[in-house]
Amino acid sequence: MQYIGCHLTISKGFLALGKEALSLGGNTAQFFTRNPRGGKAKELDMADVEAYLRFAEEHEIGPLVAHAPYTINPCAANEKTLEFAYMAMEEDLQRLQYIPGTFYNFHPGSHVGQGVEAAVEKIADTLNSVMFPGMKTTVLLETMAGKGTEMGSRFEELRAIIDRVELSESIGVCLDTCHVSDGGYDIIGDLEGVLSEFDRIIGLHRLKALHLNDSMNPPGSHKDRHQKLGEGTLGLEVFRRIINHPLLKPLPKILETPNDNSGYAREIALLRSMGA
Ligand code: FE
Ligand code: FE
Ligand code: ZN
């Protein structure tokens, strides 16, 4: 069985997150490491973490995806904003040591006029200062839609960042289906072609997780508005192909579709019925 799950809130702790994921038919989940509006992350409750780890082993829950707040900008022009990204990411990675094997997904950020080159340097600098030898987490750059000056909508940009990361074995990519389509990659008509492009530019060994979202907008729109599976411009067939692609089968897949829990449960069941 593949690792399928959805984005959930972690307000009640890790054990509750694991139980909720399972109750929806999932066997992984994604959560925000902290409030996107900023502020301090809650203290880790070690009893809860240990209870979760036992529960996850017992129920074969796969690697979780921790999502950094999308408000951080690791390539900001402003020193204060950059400092906040650094602080949040460093603290998140330290805490994730207690949940080994978790993925830490983040948005590469927006270059806000500094240009792609400068942004690549800043993102890599931030990563090199928060990553550390012995880390039990793999950091994932998310593929983005390319809204405004958003970084990461081109595979080449992700590659350039990865090339500058010192702890190369701890960096990977999370592919968001809505974002890559909005970014101009034709996963609707040519999934195989997009994957070979990914392989040529970045290397498929770097692909560690997927976000499964349909899109409200046509390919190349650079908009980033998620839609329920099968109700957007991507259509169900794309997801059937992804689920059944031999190279993608082992990777955790997270839904970030506009759904409440019953909607998520339906989509997870749908993916399971298609072979996940
Ligand atoms: Fe994201
Ligand atoms: Fe995403
Ligand atoms: Zn998005």
Side-chain angles (χ1 to χ4, degrees):
M1 202 156 63
Q2 292 183 37
Y3 292 125
I4 303 281
C6 59
H7 187 92
L8 295 170
T9 60
I10 194 159
S11 53
K12 296 193 191 94
F14 284 97
L15 180 61
L17 180 85
K19 288 182 172 172
E20 193 176 3
L22 216 66
S23 78
L24 302 175
N27 50 357
T28 181
Q30 176 176 271
F31 60 95
F32 280 129
T33 53
R34 61 185 68 221
N35 191 318
R37 274 181 261 272
K40 274 209 84 75
K42 258 201 336 202
E43 271 303 309
L44 263 195
D45 172 353
M46 285 314 295
D48 171 57
V49 168
E50 277 156 30
Y52 167 74
L53 292 175
R54 277 194 303 274
F55 184 84
E57 202 183 330
E58 194 181 328
H59 296 277
E60 294 177 14
I61 296 179
L64 297 176
V65 182
H67 196 310
Y70 50 79
T71 44
I72 64 165
N73 188 2
C75 58
N78 175 298
E79 264 317 309
K80 275 229 155 65
T81 316
L82 204 55
E83 180 64 25
F84 175 68
Y86 166 81
M87 193 220 73
M89 293 176 84
E90 176 172 58
E91 195 183 62
D92 286 352
L93 286 176
Q94 295 295 337
R95 295 156 64 99
L96 289 173
Q97 284 297 88
Y98 295 102
I99 307 154
T102 302
F103 291 112
Y104 183 58
N105 175 73
F106 77 105
H107 296 179
S110 294
H111 71 66
V112 289
Q114 302 167 93
V116 168
E117 289 283 299
V120 164
E121 293 290 340
K122 279 190 173 176
I123 297 162
D125 283 353
T126 306
L127 286 172
N128 286 330
S129 23
V130 298
M131 292 170 75
F132 52 94
M135 59 188 290
K136 298 170 181 163
T137 310
T138 303
V139 178
L140 306 182
L141 295 151
E142 182 168 351
T143 61
M144 301 308 294
K147 212 162 75 177
T149 64
E150 210 169 57
M151 293 289 295
S153 66
R154 303 296 311 163
F155 295 161
E156 287 81 357
E157 294 172 5
L158 299 174
R159 170 63 192 265
I161 298 163
I162 290 169
D163 275 347
R164 288 168 174 76
V165 172
E166 287 152 14
L167 292 169
S168 185
E169 70 282 6
S170 299
I171 186 88
V173 173
C174 173
L175 187 144
D176 185 309
T177 54
C178 166
H179 298 176
V180 283
S181 174
D182 284 17
Y185 291 100
D186 182 19
I187 56 167
I188 305 168
D190 188 16
L191 175 66
E192 215 45 61
V194 174
L195 290 177
S196 20
E197 175 87 347
F198 188 103
D199 195 33
R200 191 172 63 82
I201 308 292
I202 304 175
L204 274 172
H205 65 287
R206 295 283 183 194
L207 184 57
K208 304 291 186 190
L210 283 98
H211 285 164
L212 301 186
N213 305 306
D214 211 323
S215 174
M216 288 189 183
N217 294 290
S221 60
H222 303 293
K223 284 280 211 299
D224 190 4
R225 299 280 310 281
H226 301 187
Q227 182 55 291
K228 295 179 174 130
L229 302 191
E231 294 185 23
T233 54
L234 267 57
L236 268 191
E237 196 46 39
V238 178
F239 299 102
R240 188 190 310 278
R241 288 201 194 112
I242 288 174
I243 287 296
N244 289 292
H245 196 290
L247 290 174
L248 306 180
K249 273 189 179 167
L251 309 180
K253 300 173 187 75
I254 305 288
L255 295 162
E256 300 174 310
T257 44
N259 273 307
D260 54 15
N261 275 5
S262 62
Y264 276 139
R266 274 197 302 278
E267 288 192 345
I268 292 169
L270 176 67
L271 293 168
R272 297 277 189 224
S273 76
M274 297 192 304

